[in-house]
Amino acid sequence: MEYNICQTVKIVDMNDEIISEVLFEHGQFEISSLTIGSSVLSYQLGLKEFEVVFDKRDGKYQRYKIVDVEIDLIQKPATLKAFLEPVTLIVGQHDIGLM
């Protein structure tokens, strides 16, 4: 089955004021089956200005739990989404700069 892996990312300032909340898509992957509670190993997320991006520097990996699996039966063919646990990124603290 092909899953679209998504993650809610809250972007806040140093005072914990919410700037925005986005749904970041890790991509589509061909996986036999995913269940809630399973772990996914991926790159950490970071900010390039106010855009959420993968932090692909050495050693910047993160283990995320799958918190929900959605099957959209309205679309033809049906689509599958797996949602990872939400994360919060702080502007200025999670900036990765230019790569």
Side-chain angles (χ1 to χ4, degrees):
M1 295 184 201
E2 190 167 286
Y3 285 87
N4 190 12
I5 309 294
C6 303
Q7 188 170 26
T8 302
V9 180
K10 187 176 6 173
I11 302 170
V12 299
D13 64 13
M14 293 290 205
N15 296 321
D16 208 28
E17 299 280 333
I18 297 175
I19 296 172
S20 68
E21 193 167 339
V22 298
L23 185 64
F24 181 78
E25 295 194 10
H26 287 259
Q28 290 188 339
F29 301 92
E30 187 69 33
I31 303 168
S32 59
S33 146
L34 288 176
T35 59
I36 294 172
S38 298
S39 293
V40 173
L41 185 63
S42 183
Y43 289 107
Q44 284 183 358
L45 300 180
L47 294 170
K48 192 180 289 187
E49 296 183 6
F50 292 101
E51 181 184 355
V52 179
V53 295
F54 287 118
D55 188 347
K56 294 187 176 182
R57 294 178 290 184
D58 287 340
K60 296 292 185 174
Y61 307 115
Q62 182 74 38
R63 183 180 308 275
Y64 300 106
K65 291 254 187 232
I66 296 173
V67 294
D68 194 17
V69 176
E70 175 184 280
I71 302 169
D72 184 348
L73 299 176
I74 297 171
Q75 286 190 330
K76 300 295 182 207
T79 59
L80 299 165
K81 281 187 182 179
F83 292 90
L84 304 179
E85 59 192 326
V87 296
T88 300
L89 299 177
I90 302 170
V91 172
Q93 190 175 17
H94 290 101
D95 291 328
I96 63 171
L98 298 174
M99 295 182 61

